Amino acid sequence: MAPATHPQTDEDWQARIYDAIDAFSPGAPIDDLNLLAGRAKQIDQMLDAVLQRGQHAILYGERGVGKSSLANTFSTKLIGPTRTRSCIHINCDPSDNFTRLCRKIFRRLTSNGENLGDKYINDIYPDDLVYELSEFPLNTFPIIILDEFDKLTEGETPTFIANTIKHLSDRSIRTTIIIVGVADSVDGLIKEHGSISRCLRQIRMERMSPAELREIVDDRLPSLAMSIHQDAMAHLVALSRGLPHYAHLFGQQAAKKALEHRRLVIDIKHIEQALPVCMEQTDQSVRAQYHWATTSPRSGNIYKQVLLAAALSQVDEFGYFHPVALQNPLGSLLNRDVKVSLFGQHLKKLCQEDRGSVLEQTGSERKYIYRFVEPMMQPFILMYGLKNGLITREQVSELAASHYEPRLSSEF
Ligand SMILES: Nc1ncnc2c1ncn2[C@@H]1O[C@H](COP(=O)(O)OP(=O)(O)O)[C@@H](O)[C@H]1O
Ligand SMILES: [Mg+2]
């Protein structure tokens, strides 16, 4: 941990810049519970599922909201004088079938000195897995985390996993299986295997609240002997759109800018100076998609403004927004009253391949709702808009839906 002192020499300042880069982790899930901001409710729900026999869990939410980080860290809380845990966290791959998935688990387990990976050379079935998972000592809570569940493409694998969960539950075996994935894949699993829904606790990861995003930054600055002005923090939170990746990225790059100016307090101009670097660090695919979505031979087209309005809107638990939600922000950006009829076609076109398929739609004719295919797109759109003078910082703070407390789409 960096000493909380005032840097003196150029070397001190440079060292502090390295510490700042290290303190934030925009590119990797959190692996230490002490560094996990917020999420108290989800931690409780996860522990509950682990402690109750026969209960398993599904942790679901949009990409990048912090599912892997939670799955990595929550079980630390279980460790006590009389309790221990054995946590195996594996990522699913498109190439995995049930046997390969089990092998990944078995490779991380030993029984009577023998690595279980060596025990099964042929196909592995749910009963083999159930058998091996019932063999743990009584004071141990075994947890198997199947992360990136949505990556599985092999048809029968989810069915085998569902069967395993059913057997474990019916026989009251202590092992808890936790499935982690984007909401749609989880929805599919439950729909197809209704019988397991009773023993599967469904735990939703929402985007982060402003307080949780602030905590990410506030937790890390003291070790750098740094602090942040309120308006800079508010801007950082508004731009992050509930996504912790961006809170880390903005926090990291703004801290770096402040330190380059030999300052220990981050202010709004450090955030502004950091934005071009943050744009460069955004996935190339997101930048390319934005380019396709907004390039048009017709001057005066409003694609960029429509996307800005969409990026500012409130979304539901699956990330969808209702077209009506765009009226107010778009009106403000275009400086006139607008109705859905002005931009309804734009939303439809933004779902098409020649516009980068930046949005997708669901629902029925006249009641379509939309979402960004890539949640990471939203902060990028705002950064682009700010850099190119399409929106002002004041408009961002005024128009951005300030929190992502999920609401049913029908409430719009
Ligand atoms: N509770 C949290 N506190 C601090 N940082 C977080 C938290 N949750 C996620 N992050 C950060 O956000 C980014 C995305 O998190 P990750 O767990 O990989 O999301 P997901 O698995 O849902 O795609 C990572 O950079 C991670 O460090
Ligand atoms: Mg993940």
Side-chain angles (χ1 to χ4, degrees):
M1 184 122 341
T5 54
H6 201 291
Q8 306 291 332
T9 64
D10 282 353
E11 287 74 33
D12 291 348
W13 285 102
Q14 189 55 44
R16 195 59 56 90
I17 289 176
Y18 295 147
D19 292 339
I21 293 170
D22 189 41
F24 292 92
S25 59
I30 301 289
D31 58 3
D32 175 353
L33 189 60
N34 293 318
L35 296 175
L36 190 84
R39 302 310 196 188
K41 184 176 87 191
Q42 285 87 353
I43 292 176
D44 255 13
Q45 292 173 318
M46 297 277 274
L47 292 175
D48 219 58
V50 169
L51 289 163
Q52 284 190 47
R53 278 205 197 193
Q55 272 286 309
H56 302 267
I58 275 189
L59 180 64
Y60 69 95
E62 294 174 273
R63 212 169 79 76
V65 288
K67 301 180 295 299
S68 300
S69 299
L70 181 75
N72 266 340
T73 52
F74 83 98
S75 64
T76 320
K77 289 232 177 205
L78 281 172
I79 301 169
T82 56
R83 274 192 315 270
T84 171
R85 47 129 207 199
S86 171
C87 187
I88 296 176
H89 190 157
I90 60 167
N91 282 353
C92 304
D93 286 307
S95 63
D96 282 335
N97 56 19
F98 189 74
T99 297
R100 286 205 203 101
L101 214 53
C102 290
R103 262 213 191 97
K104 285 187 186 173
I105 298 168
F106 288 168
R107 208 176 292 143
R108 291 161 174 85
L109 285 173
T110 49
S111 166
N112 300 324
E114 182 192 14
N115 185 290
L116 280 184
D118 301 331
K119 185 167 159 190
Y120 292 89
I121 27 180
N122 297 319
D123 283 351
I124 305 174
Y125 293 96
D127 190 57
D128 301 318
L129 183 56
V130 171
Y131 174 78
E132 298 299 350
L133 295 181
S134 57
E135 294 288 282
F136 283 86
L138 275 182
N139 64 343
T140 303
F141 287 86
I143 303 166
I144 309 286
I145 296 168
L146 305 176
D147 204 341
E148 314 230 332
F149 183 77
D150 37 287
K151 295 270 167 70
L152 290 176
T153 51
E154 216 274 329
E156 268 181 348
T157 314
T159 305
F160 281 177
I161 295 172
N163 289 344
T164 308
I165 289 173
K166 186 91 185 23
H167 291 251
L168 287 171
S169 182
D170 286 350
R171 298 191 16 220
S172 224
I173 291 167
R174 299 183 80 89
T175 303
T176 307
I177 301 220
I178 295 177
I179 292 175
V180 182
V182 296
D184 308 81
S185 65
V186 163
D187 212 32
L189 182 79
I190 308 245
K191 277 205 186 104
E192 276 171 44
H193 305 279
S195 64
I196 57 166
S197 67
R198 249 180 315 118
C199 52
L200 258 191
R201 170 76 60 94
Q202 296 172 37
I203 302 174
R204 184 173 67 215
M205 280 300 263
E206 296 138 15
R207 292 197 187 187
M208 287 186 129
S209 67
E212 289 176 314
L213 294 170
R214 284 196 293 270
E215 197 182 321
I216 292 180
V217 180
D218 281 337
D219 276 355
R220 285 159 177 83
L221 291 183
S223 72
L224 304 165
M226 296 185 76
S227 58
I228 181 166
H229 273 303
Q230 243 178 11
D231 55 351
M233 180 71 108
H235 196 40
L236 180 154
V237 167
L239 290 178
S240 297
R241 313 312 295 137
L243 297 168
H245 161 81
Y246 280 102
H248 280 269
L249 183 63
F250 296 144
Q252 180 187 58
Q253 296 304 322
K256 186 170 177 227
K257 284 288 170 216
L259 293 166
E260 281 170 2
H261 289 99
R262 303 290 185 257
R263 292 277 182 279
L264 290 174
V265 183
I266 299 172
D267 66 32
I268 193 81
K269 67 177 182 302
H270 300 132
I271 304 263
E272 285 175 339
Q273 288 163 1
L275 292 185
V277 187
C278 297
M279 282 178 75
E280 277 166 30
Q281 295 202 9
T282 303
D283 240 33
Q284 171 57 25
S285 62
V286 170
R287 291 188 282 160
Q289 212 183 16
Y290 181 78
H291 182 72
W292 289 333
T294 55
T295 307
S296 173
R298 285 178 50 193
S299 66
N301 79 83
I302 57 168
Y303 282 106
K304 286 178 179 159
Q305 286 78 5
V306 170
L307 283 176
L308 269 171
L312 291 162
S313 301
Q314 174 97 31
V315 294
D316 72 6
E317 64 177 290
F318 295 105
Y320 285 99
F321 58 85
H322 196 286
V324 171
L326 271 56
Q327 284 184 167
N328 179 35
L330 188 58
S332 167
L333 293 170
L334 297 175
N335 208 10
R336 61 185 152 114
D337 265 357
V338 298
K339 292 265 170 289
V340 175
S341 53
L342 175 76
F343 58 87
Q345 285 307 317
H346 292 74
L347 292 176
K348 286 211 173 96
K349 289 204 174 118
L350 286 164
C351 297
Q352 293 166 3
E353 217 171 306
D354 56 355
R355 290 246 159 244
S357 309
V358 62
L359 298 180
E360 58 189 351
Q361 65 176 28
T362 187
S364 50
E365 191 67 48
R366 294 188 177 282
K367 284 200 190 134
Y368 284 126
I369 52 174
Y370 296 85
R371 73 174 166 193
F372 285 94
V373 172
E374 172 53 80
M376 297 290 158
M377 181 63 85
Q378 283 167 278
F380 179 81
I381 290 169
L382 297 182
M383 287 193 276
Y384 183 97
L386 283 165
K387 182 172 170 232
N388 292 284
L390 300 169
I391 189 168
T392 62
R393 177 156 52 81
E394 291 70 26
Q395 281 175 311
V396 171
S397 86
E398 192 184 312
L399 300 171
S402 66
H403 68 126
Y404 280 92
E405 215 67 74
R407 304 193 290 170
L408 293 177
S409 318
S410 59
E411 282 176 36
F412 279 105

